[in-house]
């Protein structure tokens, strides 16, 4: 899915989505034209990040949770 679709489904701004991508928390594929191709998994990760951030969980803790290094 495109970034526009991700914005609509996640209710996050494009800049935030790209930030989490730069942080390595999501890793969209690239289409032949170079555009990002976000997956359902990327969307689920963003929704989880959004929830955890609303609970004041730090990015470092989110990264640890995602990597399986924290219970």
């Amino acid at each position: 899915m495109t970034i526009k679709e991700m914005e609509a489904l996640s209710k996050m701004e494009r800049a935030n989505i790209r930030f989490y991508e730069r942080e390595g928390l999501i890793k969209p594929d690239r289409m032949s034209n170079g555009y990002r191709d976000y997956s359902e998994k990327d969307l689920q990760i963003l929704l989880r990040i959004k929830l955890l951030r609303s609970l004041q969980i730090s990015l470092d803790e989110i990264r640890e949770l995602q990597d399986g290094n924290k219970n």
Side-chain angles (χ1 to χ4, degrees):
M1 71 185 81
T2 65
I3 193 148
K4 187 173 185 174
E5 293 169 316
M6 286 294 282
E7 285 179 291
L9 293 170
S10 69
K11 306 285 192 268
M12 294 177 94
E13 294 183 15
R14 184 176 307 223
N16 294 80
I17 296 168
R18 294 234 170 101
F19 170 77
Y20 293 124
E21 182 183 345
R22 281 192 308 274
E23 289 294 312
L25 296 170
I26 60 171
K27 298 168 183 84
D29 292 329
R30 294 283 181 157
M31 295 184 230
S32 60
N33 60 8
Y35 290 2
R36 292 167 178 85
D37 184 18
Y38 296 93
S39 67
E40 182 64 31
K41 181 180 177 185
D42 293 324
L43 175 60
Q44 294 307 312
I45 292 169
L46 281 178
L47 294 174
R48 183 175 185 219
I49 291 169
K50 186 176 180 179
L51 171 66
L52 293 171
R53 293 296 294 144
S54 74
L55 297 171
Q56 306 300 311
I57 306 295
S58 73
L59 281 181
D60 288 335
E61 289 177 296
I62 292 171
R63 197 172 285 108
E64 288 177 8
L65 287 167
Q66 189 168 331
D67 293 341
N69 297 329
K70 192 167 186 148
N71 297 324

